[in-house]
Amino acid sequence: MSKLPADFYQKVYAVVRQIPKGKVTSYGAIAKAIGSPQSSRTVGYAMNASHNLENVPAHRVVNRNGVLTGKHHFSGTHAMQQLLEAEGIEVIDDQIINFEAHFWEPEVLEAKE
DNA sequence: GCCCTGACGCTCG
DNA sequence: ACGAGCGCCAGGG
């Protein structure tokens, strides 16, 4: 029942929206938080749709290497990097410096079966 | 209804 | 240690 694909998106948005300023997380962490650690790809896919939502700071979401893999999908070329730097996160060559220090692990949402 | 693509991640060579 | 390939889920043509 609550396993609808659309629900998957909502979960992703919910987690990303909870990312505090100056913090970042990875697709895999979100995927795991929503109960689908293997759906890391789908998480990124959901982020693409989240572009229409302002409540979803997609620029705070990077891959497990701390690389701005999705910056290419942003408005400009370094728009994502600019946003992260504005929050105090140092980004060089699409790579977040001290990624671990800025890493924020999302809380696991309770799946309502 | 089938095939391909995609903002990832892990395993194998 | 590095590179290539496969698996995962969902959407679009």
Side-chain angles (χ1 to χ4, degrees), chain A residues 29-30 38 45 49 59 68 73 82:
Chain A
I30 297 171
Q38 298 124 261
Y45 202 86
H59 64 271
L68 284 57
H73 284 258
Q82 295 289 309

Side-chain angles (χ1 to χ4, degrees), chain A residues 18-96:
Chain A
Q18 287 168 62
I19 303 175
K21 183 184 177 188
K23 293 283 184 173
V24 291
T25 189
S26 63
Y27 303 95
I30 297 171
K32 188 175 183 178
I34 64 182
S36 298
Q38 298 124 261
S39 308
S40 48
R41 290 197 88 162
T42 318
V43 174
Y45 202 86
M47 310 263 35
N48 207 340
S50 77
H51 234 278
N52 295 310
L53 309 175
E54 298 179 12
N55 297 38
V56 184
H59 64 271
R60 293 182 188 154
V61 184
V62 296
N63 68 348
R64 78 108 182 152
N65 291 309
V67 181
L68 284 57
T69 51
K71 68 126 187 177
H72 199 70
H73 284 258
F74 259 75
S75 310
T77 312
H78 294 146
M80 192 173 181
Q81 179 177 332
Q82 295 289 309
L83 290 167
L84 291 171
E85 289 187 336
E87 304 206 348
I89 301 174
E90 194 172 3
V91 180
I92 298 178
D93 191 40
D94 307 331
Q95 169 68 50
I96 295 178

